[in-house]
Structures are given as C-alpha cells and as structure tokens.
Amino acid sequence: MTHPQAQANNRLARRLTARSHLTPAQADAALTRARRRKASLFRLLTEAGGIAESALLACASSAFGLPVVDPRGLPAGPLPLPRDTAALLRRHEILPLALRGQHLLAGITDPCRPTAVAAVAAQTGLDIQPVLLPHEPLRRRLAAAPETGARAGQNAESRSLPARPRPRIDNALPADEHQVVRFVDDLLQHAIASGASDIHIEPYEHSCRIRFRYDGLLQEVGRPPPHLMKQLVARLKVLAQLDIAEKRLPQDGRLQVARDGGQPIDFRLNTLPTLWGEKLVLRVLDTCQAALAINRLGMDDCQQRHYLGALRRRQGLILVTGPTGSGKTVSLYAGLRVLNTPECNIATVEDPVEIHMEGINQVAVKQKQGLDFALALRAFLRQDPDVIMVGEIRDSETADIAVKAAQTGHLVLSTLHTNNASETVNRLFSMGIAGFNLASALSLVMAQRLLRRLCPHCKEKAHYPDTLLRRAGFGQRLRHKLTLYSARGCADCHNGYRGRVGIYEVVPITPPLKRIIMAGNDPAAFAAEARRAGYGSLRHAALGKAALGITSLEEANRLT
C-alpha cells in the first residue's frame, strides 16, 4: 500500500506539472529525491527556492482542496497550547486557530505530511480541519503561543483543547480487555456525536485504519495499532451477537448503543474477510435524525404535488430509484407518514428495517429462515393490506408480485437501483415484466441523489467564466443575475459542507409515457417525453440548488 506521504507528494507533483511550474522530467526527479529522503515534496521544493511559496500554496490548495489563509486576517492571538500537546503541535508545525465543539481549525504549512495531522488528531481527540498558511507567519505565531493546562487561562474552557473527548488511536494504546471495551464505546459515541453515517475499520498488511463517512464522503479519523485489530473485531462481534470464531465468511449483525444523555442508537454491522483480516463496516441507524416530512426532503413545490398526488390515489406502483445511500428509504417513509392513519393498513418488508414507525406493520427479511421479499409479499396479500412497501425489488418474482398487487387495488411503494427514471422501465423489462402490465401498474417514478449542503458559516461567493456556466447548463438569462458559492472550510463543517439535501427527478406516468412503455424498451424516448412534459432531470435539480446557494457548482458536477 502506498504511504500517505508518497500519495500526497504524487498529487502535488501532478498539479505542479499541470500548471507548468515543473516539467514532467523535473517532477519525476523531485519525487525520486523525496522518496529517497522520505521527505515531503512541498518542503523540498520550498527549500530549493525554484518556485515561489505563493505558487506552491496555490497548487497545494487546488490539489488537496484546502483554502489558503491570509495571515493578516487571522485572530489577534492563537489558541493556548495544552501542555500535553504543545510539543507535538510545535514539532508538526500545526497552529490551532479556532475551536468549536469537537472541530479544530488549524493552520498547516506542509500539506504533504498527512500523518502529522492524523497524529495530532489522535492525540487531542479532535476533528482537525486544516487550512494552509505561509511558513514564516505560522512559525512565528506557533513560537509565541502560550502553554496552558486543560482548563487554565482566560476562557480556556471554550478555547483550549480538551484532553480526550474521543478514543485515542495511537501506537501506545494498550490492548487489555478493559481498554478495548472503552475504546469501542468511545468510537461509537464519537461517530454518533459527529454525525457520521458509517464507520469503516480496515486491516492492511502492516497497519489498519478507521474512517467515518460524513455527508457521503469518507474521512480517515485514525490508525490504531495492528495488534489491536483482533480485539476490536472480537468486541464488536460480541456486541452484535455474531460468531467470533467464524472468520472465513461474511456476517451481518445489529447492536444498540445508548447515546450520551439520549435515546439508544442502532448500528448495523457487516464483516468481510479480506487478505489481511476482517474488515468491519457499521451503519449508524440514527432514525431520530431522519427528515420524515415531504417538505423537508428537498423537492420543489411541483415535485411535492406529484408525489402527494400519487400517494393519494391509493392504487398503483410508486418506485424510488438511486444508488445505495441516496436517501430512498427516507423518501418512502416520508410518504408512509402521510398515509399512516387509523383507517389505513400498511405493511412493509425490508432488509433490514432501518426506520421504526408506530402504526405500521414492519417485517424484516430473514434469508436463513426462508423469509424473503417474495414470500413476505404473498403473505401481505392475505392480510387485507391497503399499502405495501417493499424495501427493494431485487428479482423477477418480487417484481411480478409487486406489479400484480398494484394492478389489483393496492398502493405499492418500492425502490430500484437505477441511475434515473427512464432506466427504471428498462430494468423492469429486463426482469420479465410485460409492457402492458407495467404501463397499467406504474403511477410514478422518482430518481434521487443527496447533495452536500454548503456550510452557512464559511461559504463564499465564487466567480466562474461565462463559458463554464454555459457548459454547465445555465441559461443565458439566468447567467447574468446568478450568484454562486463555493466551499471554504471552517470548524463547523467538513471541508466546507455540512449536511445533505435531496435532488429529485419526479416523473408521473402520463398517457403518453404509458404508450412509450407499452411500445417497448426505449429509455431515450421516455426521457425525451418527460423533458417535453416539464419534468426536470437530476442535473436540472442540482443546478437549481447551486443557483439558490444551497450547494456549490463543484458538488453539482460531482454528483450529476
């Protein structure tokens, strides 16, 4: 596995070459020199003096997505340095600038040393949000920063670094049983408190790492010692009631952890045997955070009316499509919440049940016992249902039963893994559903994604050339009055973003679309008719969020 510093050096070299600061031959020579000396390419080039520091910082900012901060705009004085970390911060040249909760905004001068930031994060227990500073101003401020105890000094409780708010993941961590139990508990609590959706614990030949997924993107939070990995895996398997002796096959389990001072949070655990041990992924099922209201999903007014209209028909098939983790289940439960009345019998079958809702009969798939989607669906039809929700249509048998149920007076909601609305019809055709059956059953198709929201505290106006805006898809009239924003990054967010919002392509199945479905497999004709009828694409929805200042053009381009 490539060392993090080597990866950073390669990334910076590519950016410097692309901007003509180095020729390819010079870049290769510099990388070779850095590799032999096990040094940072940024530091070597700074010491060589051939490229101005401002140019190096600009290239590093572009390569690593880190903002360059003007030292003249910094606060009057840096944060006081706790005595137990002052030497570490000075050694790694990391300058604390602002502390909000568990997030520390810190100035660095060398982005090609990612392990330095990781070491400080592990020691302090904070989420480090780095920004780039010129070397000399950073060095002067760091040398002048006072040392203080954990709660000493003026307003130190809010400004100094806390001693240990999250698990320490450094090589000095003892591997005794009680320490491992405490470490796992701290790890899960930190994931809950920081808003992570997933935890990845990954073993490699000579190391292991832990990553959290924030707003759809993974971020490394630490590297525990390899000798701790077996104890971590065993502890989590015990909590999830899995077989700790089974290491050759994947396993699925579930565990529950009480939130500090709050209600319990469920975690779904999956183990996967890899070359160097078992990789663990935990999905945080924090159902209290789910935005189970249609007007909070991110749809525009027209899309909400189409969705509510399909729900009120109480007959037909509503399909929500998109990749894993795009919020399909939340969209379905927002619809079920509207339908959940004493007069309505609602049944769901899911794998697993992620959102618990009073008044709905929820069934979890149990493959080992033979309870799959198709069997549960057949049982539902003998239970006098009004509304049926199927977690996912995975096979032709489930698709056939769902379509027939929608044709016989039931409202059926389900999901598919397709990229957009037009490909949904193609997918069902490939499962063997006849065109005339699908046309009579299908009432609405809704494709969706989750865009990261710009942090309201640090987003800044961005200026783009008119040609770029035109290529992005903005019309001429809109381009003249458009105000776009870009991500910057602060202590309140993750790289300039905080939270996510849905974008949707909502397509009610009109008579012209029914005729296209009955005519056969033609996704292009389906998409063309949907656009002609005024149903916007996912790209259109993403650009709309960017125009409103909710997200950035870069995020819209990344996802659509």
Side-chain angles (χ1 to χ4, degrees):
M1 184 181 64
T2 306
H3 191 275
Q5 180 168 283
Q7 293 177 339
N9 286 346
N10 290 334
R11 185 185 295 185
L12 178 61
R14 287 195 298 269
R15 186 64 60 178
L16 289 166
T17 305
R19 295 195 176 183
S20 302
H21 292 295
L22 293 176
T23 66
Q26 289 172 331
D28 289 341
L31 286 171
T32 300
R33 192 162 62 253
R35 186 164 53 250
R36 287 174 179 170
R37 294 172 56 178
K38 297 182 179 180
S40 155
L41 179 64
F42 190 95
R43 177 59 57 86
L44 286 179
L45 294 175
T46 301
E47 292 173 352
I51 304 173
E53 185 183 28
S54 58
L56 281 172
L57 287 172
C59 287
S61 175
S62 176
F64 299 100
L66 302 176
V68 179
V69 175
D70 186 342
R72 293 172 297 181
L74 293 177
L79 289 182
L81 307 181
R83 290 193 184 96
D84 58 346
T85 58
L88 182 72
L89 290 166
R90 289 193 170 104
R91 183 168 71 251
H92 290 304
E93 294 189 327
I94 294 179
L95 177 70
L97 297 174
L99 178 65
R100 294 182 184 175
Q102 305 302 316
H103 304 284
L104 175 68
L105 185 69
I108 65 172
T109 191
D110 187 351
C112 290
R113 296 171 60 227
T115 53
V117 174
V120 173
Q123 177 72 22
T124 63
L126 293 171
D127 290 313
I128 307 294
Q129 303 291 331
V131 297
L132 295 173
L133 280 172
H135 180 260
E136 191 57 31
L138 182 143
R139 187 192 62 77
R140 285 199 307 268
R141 283 176 170 268
L142 195 57
E147 295 182 20
T148 179
R151 295 186 182 276
Q154 183 180 8
N155 199 21
E157 187 166 347
S158 62
R159 298 198 72 213
S160 61
L161 306 182
R164 189 176 173 271
R166 78 175 186 191
R168 290 182 54 160
I169 36 188
D170 55 32
N171 290 320
L173 184 67
D176 63 89
E177 181 180 354
H178 297 294
Q179 184 70 43
V180 170
V181 169
R182 196 158 55 246
F183 176 87
V184 170
D185 183 62
D186 286 351
L187 181 71
L188 299 179
Q189 291 292 346
H190 178 61
I192 295 170
S194 63
S197 62
D198 300 87
I199 305 170
H200 290 239
I201 304 174
E202 303 165 320
Y204 298 100
E205 183 176 10
H206 302 299
S207 65
C208 59
R209 67 176 175 180
I210 298 177
R211 294 189 291 174
F212 287 177
R213 188 178 293 278
Y214 293 112
D215 300 331
L217 297 180
L218 285 168
Q219 293 186 18
E220 184 174 318
V221 298
R223 288 181 173 260
H227 69 265
L228 187 64
M229 191 67 185
K230 289 183 179 179
Q231 289 92 327
L232 280 176
V233 172
R235 175 59 181 166
L236 286 164
K237 280 185 170 182
V238 167
L239 290 174
Q241 299 181 348
L242 298 180
D243 183 358
I244 62 173
E246 179 56 76
K247 302 177 182 179
R248 299 168 300 172
L249 297 173
Q251 296 187 72
D252 289 289
R254 201 177 181 108
L255 59 135
Q256 192 174 79
V257 175
R259 187 203 302 261
D260 286 339
Q263 70 179 67
I265 300 297
D266 288 334
F267 289 81
R268 187 176 74 209
L269 172 65
N270 176 265
T271 71
L272 178 69
T274 69
L275 188 61
W276 306 111
E278 291 180 277
K279 174 184 176 180
L280 273 60
V281 175
L282 295 102
R283 168 65 59 88
V284 186
L285 306 176
D286 192 356
T287 60
C288 71
Q289 293 184 4
L292 298 180
I294 290 178
N295 62 358
R296 293 179 59 193
L297 296 176
M299 299 180 189
D300 60 35
D301 292 341
C302 185
Q303 291 172 335
Q304 290 182 44
R305 286 197 300 271
H306 290 317
Y307 189 23
L308 289 170
L311 292 170
R312 293 192 185 103
R313 291 193 192 104
R314 299 296 179 92
Q315 179 177 346
L317 178 62
I318 297 175
L319 291 175
V320 182
T321 77
T324 300
S326 59
K328 300 186 296 295
T329 300
V330 170
S331 295
L332 287 179
Y333 267 95
L336 292 181
R337 185 180 182 186
V338 174
L339 301 172
N340 188 15
T341 63
E343 298 81 21
C344 188
N345 178 22
I346 303 175
T348 76
V349 55
E350 303 165 73
D351 183 19
V353 178
E354 296 188 7
I355 297 174
H356 300 162
M357 186 173 287
E358 186 76 20
I360 292 178
N361 307 290
Q362 298 173 288
V363 175
V365 166
K366 298 177 181 177
Q367 296 288 356
K368 291 183 179 179
Q369 287 77 32
L371 177 58
D372 57 14
F373 285 111
L375 181 61
L377 264 175
R378 285 194 293 268
F380 286 170
L381 295 175
R382 296 189 290 272
Q383 288 272 318
D384 185 32
D386 297 302
V387 178
I388 297 171
M389 195 270 271
V390 185
E392 182 184 349
I393 294 179
R394 296 178 178 173
D395 53 64
S396 57
E397 185 180 11
T398 305
D400 184 61
I401 299 172
V403 168
K404 289 178 179 177
Q407 288 177 311
T408 55
H410 303 90
L411 178 61
V412 181
L413 296 85
S414 190
T415 71
L416 275 177
H417 284 163
T418 61
N419 291 325
N420 52 49
S422 59
E423 291 181 11
T424 302
V425 176
N426 186 27
R427 175 86 166 128
L428 290 170
F429 280 152
S430 69
M431 291 183 176
I433 305 299
F436 61 88
N437 284 333
L438 185 57
S440 63
L442 195 60
S443 60
L444 181 133
V445 181
M446 184 163 67
Q448 70 176 86
R449 299 287 190 278
L450 289 177
L451 279 175
R452 292 182 295 167
R453 289 179 179 269
L454 283 169
C455 173
H457 299 290
C458 66
K459 70 178 184 180
E460 55 188 7
K461 289 184 179 180
H463 303 283
Y464 300 95
D466 187 72
T467 53
L468 189 149
L469 297 177
R470 177 166 46 82
R471 286 199 302 268
F474 291 108
Q476 182 176 0
R477 183 177 301 176
L478 180 60
R479 293 199 303 270
H480 293 304
K481 57 181 180 180
L482 190 63
T483 301
L484 296 176
Y485 293 85
S486 62
R488 181 180 178 184
C490 69
D492 274 342
C493 62
H494 301 289
N495 299 323
Y497 298 92
R498 189 174 69 177
R500 291 191 288 178
V501 62
I503 55 170
Y504 294 84
E505 177 189 11
V506 180
V507 182
I509 306 304
T510 59
L513 288 173
K514 288 181 182 290
R515 289 193 290 271
I516 291 173
I517 293 172
M518 292 181 66
N521 181 5
D522 192 352
F526 186 99
E529 173 58 29
R531 301 293 92 78
R532 189 200 65 78
Y535 307 135
S537 65
L538 287 169
R539 176 65 177 173
H540 179 267
L543 293 178
K545 292 290 190 289
L548 292 173
I550 296 172
T551 192
S552 65
L553 182 58
E554 290 79 9
E555 176 69 0
N557 290 336
R558 182 185 72 87
L559 219 56
T560 61

